[in-house]
Amino acid sequence: QGAAAGRVIFVPVTLTAAARDRQAFLDNSWHPDLCDRYKDLGSAPGEQMQALVRNLDAIDGYVRRASREAGFQVMEVSVHSFSETLDLLHTRVLAAISDLIHPRPPPH
């Protein structure tokens, strides 16, 4: 129905978590049995944790930069609230639909 009928909507987004949420995830998921698995990151659990945090920060930075360069919106979401994440995604999809139905004129 109307101009948007039958059109595909592609909403490019990258979901990422804040550094504090990544740290909380590691703090809450660490188990002494993992020490053997991460020996290349250090001999002590503290060293391993710091190395994992550095690795996650580096990966996050790369993904954010690459996503922005590709034209994806980077959305920082809460790892503690799935409903908040759904609300953010829902808002972004509704905005994309609105842009499709009511396109904005190009800037002069």
Side-chain angles (χ1 to χ4, degrees):
Q1 314 254 348
R7 295 182 68 184
V8 174
I9 298 173
F10 176 70
V11 184
V13 297
T14 298
L15 303 180
T16 185
R20 68 184 179 283
D21 286 339
R22 291 192 303 273
Q23 180 68 51
F25 170 76
L26 288 175
D27 289 344
N28 292 320
S29 63
W30 188 259
H31 190 275
D33 292 344
L34 296 174
C35 289
D36 288 338
R37 193 175 296 169
Y38 296 119
K39 282 184 180 178
D40 58 329
L41 298 177
S43 59
E47 289 175 8
Q48 293 172 346
M49 181 66 75
Q50 289 175 348
L52 284 170
V53 168
R54 283 192 307 273
N55 288 349
L56 282 175
D57 287 345
I59 291 167
D60 183 71
Y62 170 78
V63 168
R64 285 175 187 252
R65 281 188 305 278
S67 295
R68 287 189 182 107
E69 289 172 7
F72 284 41
Q73 179 182 5
V74 176
M75 298 176 69
E76 197 168 275
V77 298
S78 171
V79 298
H80 306 289
S81 175
F82 186 66
S83 61
E84 182 181 317
T85 299
L86 287 178
D87 287 345
L88 282 170
L89 289 170
H90 184 246
T91 300
R92 179 65 184 104
V93 169
L94 288 178
I97 291 169
S98 178
D99 290 346
L100 180 66
I101 293 172
H102 308 289
R104 296 180 194 129
H108 298 299

